[in-house]
Amino acid sequence: MDLTLTEDQAVIQRTAREFLADRVGEDAWKEITALGWQTLPFEDFGFLEACLLIEEMGRARVVTPYLSTVACGFALRDSPLLNEILLGAVCAYAPFSGALVPWAAEADRLLVTTPSGVVVADPSEVTCTPVSVVGPAPTCRVEYGELSGEPVAAVEAHGTAATCAEMVGGAQAVLDMTVEYAKTREQFGKPIGTFQAVQHHCANMAIDVLGARFIAYEAIWALSQGREAAVEVSVAKSWVSEAYERVCALAHQVHGAIGFTAEHELHHYTRHAMSTTLSFGDPDTHTERLATLLGI
């Protein structure tokens, strides 16, 4: 596995970072679809390139249904319904009846799990009840009975790996803002970044971010190559979730009280870490799944 970006991938990442930098905390879905980002993983490039975009969205706190739509898109790649996504339709995934599903109310199509597998449902076939959650995305409790929609491939693997990419972007943003704060915040007449304890915190954060990126993109790369990647995906979700939470916790240690205020960005990332940790299975779920896969 070579994680060095190609020239095209570097351009995609750089362009996304520049575009999203002016839209921090916004819903940029209409602009993104106007640029054709929803077609990128299915027509010109692939899943890895889509995850580069998702990572930058996590970094910039841009809230869109792009991740859920792309994950559903890979489940629909052999279906004519993929054309709806290419034209800008929103898709969401409900792993079971009663699940909390981001973007369910906005979805043009829902992919839901039934006893016979994952099927496509029209929003009119399910009940969506808005709920208040920690995460930034609008979320509903989705309930449904028996459905007889078109069966499609599983969503979980691509959704889980893409969520890891989003968490890596968020963790990188937290590291960047913490290092910058340590350089400028003064205590006892000198920047707090000169204190060894603060340096240790920043170093540990950097190790977690780098490790999270490698582990996440190993799973993403395997999926992009069409490989069986159940082990890599569960390793990534289990480890990256906890790494992101550790990065946020250390960032709060460095920032002190200012990091908890409504005016500061840090608490948004902390809430994001809490919600993405639970998305597509929490670390305990994936650790247990990994143990089963490895036969231990």
Side-chain angles (χ1 to χ4, degrees), residues 174-184 193 202-203 205-206 254-255:
V174 172
L175 172 61
D176 292 344
M177 74 169 67
T178 303
V179 170
E180 185 61 30
Y181 183 77
K183 290 179 179 178
T184 56
C202 292
M205 292 168 66
V254 175
H255 281 83

Side-chain angles (χ1 to χ4, degrees), residues 111-135:
L111 271 61
V112 301
T113 299
T114 69
S116 59
V118 180
V119 302
V120 181
D122 188 274
S124 63
E125 298 180 276
V126 304
T127 301
C128 293
T129 306
V131 294
S132 178
V133 295
V134 170

